[in-house]
């Protein structure tokens, strides 16, 4: 049996969670839903259930953002519980960066800025994982492009970034950088669900494209 608190255990748990990510069919059902109830039904049984559990029965827009951030914090805590204790400070930093204001304030991304020197300072001594610097560059490049991209390019940028993260995760098995790639994938999924729910609440009469 693989012991908890090891890279092997963490990687096995993350692989298991990746298998529960929403399928393309589930996302299609979410995107085509006209009200909140079918979105909840389509997301049920997937890795998005953490966010669903944090939503009140009749959510408003601030509730949706708070639910996404609550789910993100719980996901980070879960990863920290799987990983070796030495990595827990660097993981915890991802859910509450220095200078990050109140949780209820909406923000377009849940992804932390991995270029921040404080994150690197929290790496354990003698890390020896070159994938961490590579992943930081990938995240920063995505965030920079996403900030400047016109709305019609947002979906394509996220999907390309998602594909790159999945490939990165598979190329770095049993490495600390894989944990942060997994968290980035979780952030993308939570952001996507947050956006779909918020769109229904903000524009209840809008025509949803099939």
């Amino acid at each position: 049996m693989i012991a908890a608190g090891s890279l092997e255990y963490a990687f096995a748990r993350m692989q298991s969670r990746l298998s529960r990510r929403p399928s393309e069919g589930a996302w299609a059902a979410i995107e085509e839903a006209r009200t909140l109830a079918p979105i909840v039904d389509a997301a049920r049984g997937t890795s998005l259930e953490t966010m669903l559990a944090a939503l009140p029965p009749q959510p408003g827009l601030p509730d949706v953002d708070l639910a996404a951030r609550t789910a993100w914090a719980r996901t980070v805590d879960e990863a920290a519980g799987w990983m070796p204790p030495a990595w827990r400070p660097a993981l915890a930093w991802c859910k509450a960066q220095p200078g990050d204001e109140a949780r209820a304030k909406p923000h377009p991304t849940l992804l932390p800025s991995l270029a921040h020197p404080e994150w690197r300072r929290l790496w354990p001594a003698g890390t020896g994982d070159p994938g961490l610097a590579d992943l930081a560059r990938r995240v920063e490049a995505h965030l920079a492009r996403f900030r400047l991209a016109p709305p019609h390019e947002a979906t394509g940028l996220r999907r390309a970034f998602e594909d790159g993260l999945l490939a990165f995760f598979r190329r770095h098995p049993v490495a600390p950088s894989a944990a942060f790639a997994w968290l980035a994938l979780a952030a993308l999924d939570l952001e996507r669900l947050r956006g779909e729910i918020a769109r229904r609440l903000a524009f209840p009469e809008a025509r949803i494209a099939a």
Side-chain angles (χ1 to χ4, degrees), residues 17-87:
R17 289 300 174 86
L18 282 178
S19 70
R20 293 185 59 223
R21 293 183 73 215
S23 65
E24 285 304 313
W27 279 121
I30 289 170
E31 291 167 357
E32 293 168 10
R34 295 179 180 274
T35 60
L36 181 57
I39 292 178
V40 172
D41 288 341
R44 190 170 284 122
T46 73
S47 56
L48 297 173
E49 281 194 320
T50 306
M51 181 173 164
L52 299 181
L55 280 173
Q58 300 293 330
L61 286 173
D63 298 320
V64 177
D65 186 73
L66 183 58
R69 295 190 175 282
T70 298
W72 169 244
R74 289 174 180 169
T75 301
V76 174
D77 287 343
E78 200 166 35
W82 298 335
M83 289 284 284
W87 280 101

Side-chain angles (χ1 to χ4, degrees), residues 157-190:
L157 284 174
R158 284 193 178 185
R159 287 182 179 171
F161 183 49
E162 178 183 327
D163 290 343
L165 288 172
L166 282 168
F168 182 95
F169 181 86
R170 291 166 183 147
R171 286 199 309 272
H172 295 78
V174 197
S177 53
F180 293 96
W182 178 78
L183 283 174
L185 285 164
L188 291 180
D189 288 342
L190 291 170

